[in-house]
Amino acid sequence: MSGMKEHFEQDEKTLEVVDVQSVEGGVYKDRWTRRLLRYGVEDRGVQPVPVEQRIDTQYHKLFFIFFSWNINILTFSAGTLGPVVFGLGLRDTCLAILFFNLLCCSFPAYFVTWGPKLGMRQMIVSRYSFGYYGVIVPCVFNLISMIGYSILSAIVGGQALASVTSNLSWSVGIVAISVISLLVSFGGYNALNWWAFYGYIAALLLTDCVSPPPAEPATAASVLSFASTLAGFAITFSGLSSDYSTYYRSDVSPWRIFWYSYIGLLVPLITLQSLGAAIAVAAPSVPEWEQGYAGGDVGGLLEAMLHPTKGFGKFLTVLLSLSVVGNIASCCYSISINLQVFIPWLVVVPRYVFSVLAIAMYVCFNDPISTSYLDFVADCPAPISLSLYSVSSHYPSSALINSTTPSQTSKG
């Protein structure tokens, strides 16, 4: 761990943005794309990154990517499911959160290490296991999981934003959050890393905990059901892990990449899910909290907690609603890549175009789902668990890492 600290301090000395894709290195040569490249927009989709363009040495950005992705009110909301949906007490919920996340976060963190070595997006690597067209099957499951979690993120962010004033509906809040996420996702690699470094700060405001009432005895069925939700939350990052590490130098130590990613995933998941569980357990004993949480309105619960601070509490609620932007923007970024895997001939279209399409899908699906939020969350692990099967598609490809040289992969 001391070695990792030294690496982090070394990275901190070079916080300027690394221009990983210049106009000359762009994939598409049309005038509109070349103009966007000058403003830092990334056009690369599924195309492998050549070795000479894998130049980024700011490895600490992987920590912030996954940290900002998960330190938001959706993660907080996932923790509330233990007591609210599965009937677990605080102790059993927190123990499940701790031990299952310790295990499940290791899978996506391992897959992140493939990006610098191969320069390939995660689902492109899976083609070596499933074939050029066979990979479409796990790709569909991957798209379902990303769209599902993005919708949930937009809903809880929209709830929080709408809870600030009675003149703002959930739908308007969802659209506002989605538009902000589009701007970040449209920019691509550099924009995502910029937001990751600064966008998580608002969620750090959720620091207070409460004393829970006595818990009911847990059953194996309820613990395992909640564990499946936790696994679906963490392991499904495996289908897009290396999407965010393909621009790093190919000679970097895999352990360095692994620990940055693992800790970036683990810390916010354990912290905010446990906090969500604690507040959900305590909410029935605080009438204002219980009223705010009516109907599964997580944003209303947060607003009720911060209401005693008056205007400042509303300001904090707005900041917390923006904490989901990193999650939605990152999912939107990977969706734009996965669409090119799902329909291979779409490779002729620049990646940023599909970011707009992904946000349009969120807005269309969010409104009907938001009316039955808790039911959707409770049923979500079933369809999303199908996407866990796609994780197995990456393991047979592990031999590729040891048998393929960087020069070979850059030609893929």
Side-chain angles (χ1 to χ4, degrees), residues 70-138:
N70 290 288
I71 189 161
N72 56 58
I73 51 181
L74 177 63
T75 306
F76 171 88
S77 174
T80 66
L81 298 179
V84 174
V85 176
F86 301 105
L88 297 175
L90 180 60
R91 184 196 64 178
D92 298 314
T93 300
C94 290
L95 287 175
I97 289 171
L98 173 63
F99 289 108
F100 281 97
N101 278 317
L102 283 171
L103 171 64
C104 294
C105 289
S106 62
F107 296 101
Y110 168 65
F111 293 130
V112 176
T113 66
W114 294 16
K117 292 181 178 294
L118 301 175
M120 295 183 185
R121 309 293 191 174
Q122 194 67 60
M123 296 309 294
I124 293 297
V125 177
S126 300
R127 283 178 173 172
Y128 289 85
S129 300
F130 279 77
Y132 190 81
Y133 294 105
V135 75
I136 291 176
V137 176

Side-chain angles (χ1 to χ4, degrees), residues 176-359:
I177 294 296
S178 298
V179 170
I180 297 173
S181 302
L182 170 62
L183 297 177
V184 179
S185 173
F186 188 88
Y189 181 83
N190 286 329
L192 285 170
N193 281 286
W194 178 86
W195 183 271
F197 193 75
Y198 296 104
Y200 68 91
I201 298 174
L204 293 179
L205 299 169
L206 285 173
T207 54
D208 290 331
C209 202
V210 291
S211 299
E216 296 292 331
T219 64
S222 58
V223 171
L224 292 177
S225 296
F226 181 53
S228 70
T229 301
L230 298 175
F233 206 96
I235 295 182
T236 47
F237 285 103
S238 300
L240 44 90
S241 295
S242 71
D243 291 355
Y244 306 92
S245 60
T246 54
Y247 287 103
Y248 293 105
R249 288 179 58 90
S250 59
D251 56 357
V252 62
S253 168
W255 283 108
R256 187 175 183 182
I257 297 295
F258 175 86
W259 285 115
Y260 275 134
S261 306
Y262 183 74
I263 296 175
L265 282 164
L266 189 66
V267 171
L269 287 179
I270 290 178
T271 304
L272 282 190
Q273 286 177 356
S274 299
L275 179 60
I279 292 176
V281 169
S285 60
V286 183
E288 292 81 4
W289 292 11
E290 186 175 24
Q291 181 180 0
Y293 192 50
D297 186 352
V298 178
L301 172 60
L302 293 174
E303 197 280 332
M305 293 168 56
L306 297 171
H307 185 72
T309 58
K310 304 299 181 183
F312 184 62
K314 293 183 180 294
F315 172 71
L316 295 182
T317 304
V318 172
L319 291 182
L320 287 173
S321 72
L322 296 177
S323 67
V324 301
V325 169
N327 187 304
I328 300 173
S330 297
C331 280
C332 188
Y333 178 81
S334 287
I335 287 173
S336 65
I337 295 170
N338 275 249
L339 284 173
Q340 293 183 331
V341 179
F342 177 48
I343 307 176
W345 58 264
L346 289 178
V347 71
V348 300
V349 182
R351 176 209 58 81
Y352 56 79
V353 174
F354 299 110
S355 293
V356 179
L357 178 61
I359 291 297

Side-chain angles (χ1 to χ4, degrees), residues 4-73:
M4 181 181 174
K5 181 178 179 181
E6 294 175 1
H7 287 315
F8 194 95
E9 292 175 349
Q10 181 180 355
D11 292 341
E12 286 287 346
K13 297 177 182 178
T14 56
L15 284 177
E16 68 277 2
V17 174
V18 175
D19 185 14
V20 296
Q21 189 168 3
S22 62
V23 176
E24 293 73 18
V27 178
Y28 303 91
K29 304 302 181 182
D30 61 278
R31 184 174 63 180
W32 175 251
T33 298
R34 291 177 66 85
R35 182 178 299 176
L36 289 175
L37 286 172
R38 294 190 182 95
Y39 292 99
V41 174
E42 181 194 8
D43 67 338
R44 185 182 301 275
V46 297
Q47 298 87 350
V49 180
V51 174
E52 59 270 17
Q53 292 186 25
R54 293 180 227 163
I55 60 174
D56 200 345
T57 58
Q58 299 175 6
Y59 308 113
H60 65 277
K61 292 190 297 188
L62 284 170
F63 168 83
F64 288 107
I65 277 285
F66 290 104
F67 189 79
S68 67
W69 199 334
N70 290 288
I71 189 161
N72 56 58
I73 51 181

Side-chain angles (χ1 to χ4, degrees), residues 128-204:
Y128 289 85
S129 300
F130 279 77
Y132 190 81
Y133 294 105
V135 75
I136 291 176
V137 176
C139 181
V140 169
F141 293 144
N142 205 29
L143 284 168
I144 291 173
S145 66
M146 287 188 289
I147 292 173
Y149 283 126
S150 297
I151 288 174
L152 293 179
S153 296
I155 290 173
V156 295
Q159 287 177 344
L161 196 59
S163 67
V164 174
T165 173
S166 58
N167 297 324
L168 190 66
S169 67
W170 283 13
S171 298
V172 176
I174 288 169
V175 171
I177 294 296
S178 298
V179 170
I180 297 173
S181 302
L182 170 62
L183 297 177
V184 179
S185 173
F186 188 88
Y189 181 83
N190 286 329
L192 285 170
N193 281 286
W194 178 86
W195 183 271
F197 193 75
Y198 296 104
Y200 68 91
I201 298 174
L204 293 179

